[in-house]
Amino acid sequence: MAKHNDLGKWGEHIAEEFLRSKGFEILLRNYRIGPLELDLIVQDNPVELVVVEVKTRSSDLWQDPLAAVSRRKQRHLMRAGHHLLHRLKLGNTTIRFDLISIVGTSEAYEINHVEDAFYPF
């Protein structure tokens, strides 16, 4: 596996631990809908599903990891999230889109969780 893939998997693991510590229930990991992938699907209350996009970088020297979630990526996440709601037949459930950025290494890293990072438009 390429080094950047290892970093991404590590970041998703750290994000999952972080969300669990905040009381979220992890429902799905790396859920694929065609070419689209949702990193984490979590829940912290029974009527809201949370799609979490995780961005991991060893350094933010070149770009803030959260800036990598373009409008196009947001549209993909929204489409995949709504498809998931339909597939799971969760008609009365709302969906929220969060972003988590992790910058650093396993020895020292910073995590940033942005709830309601973007809204369907």
Side-chain angles (χ1 to χ4, degrees):
M1 187 179 289
K3 188 175 182 178
H4 71 279
N5 290 338
D6 289 339
L7 183 65
K9 291 296 176 197
W10 171 77
E12 288 173 7
H13 175 73
I14 294 299
E16 189 176 327
E17 288 180 357
F18 172 78
L19 291 168
R20 270 200 184 102
S21 75
K22 290 180 74 175
F24 287 84
E25 177 185 359
I26 309 302
L27 301 176
L28 298 165
R29 293 169 200 81
N30 305 112
Y31 184 79
R32 287 201 157 282
I33 299 169
L36 308 175
E37 180 181 351
L38 300 174
D39 293 336
L40 295 170
I41 311 299
V42 302
Q43 198 166 25
D44 68 344
N45 70 61
V47 295
E48 184 174 56
L49 203 63
V50 183
V51 172
V52 181
E53 176 69 9
V54 181
K55 291 296 179 188
T56 309
R57 302 288 187 268
S58 55
S59 165
D60 61 356
L61 183 63
W62 298 105
Q63 180 186 37
D64 174 9
L66 297 179
V69 183
S70 65
R71 294 289 254 184
R72 182 174 183 226
K73 177 69 173 180
Q74 290 174 23
R75 282 192 299 273
H76 286 307
L77 292 170
M78 287 184 279
R79 189 172 342 137
H82 288 290
H83 184 275
L84 178 64
L85 282 178
H86 179 73
R87 178 176 275 177
L88 297 177
K89 296 178 175 47
L90 299 174
N92 293 333
T93 304
T94 60
I95 191 166
R96 184 178 89 205
F97 298 91
D98 289 6
L99 298 175
I100 290 184
S101 71
I102 300 166
V103 178
T105 65
S106 59
E107 290 80 36
Y109 60 86
E110 183 176 316
I111 190 164
N112 182 23
H113 181 196
V114 179
E115 294 185 15
D116 282 320
F118 55 88
Y119 302 96
F121 42 84

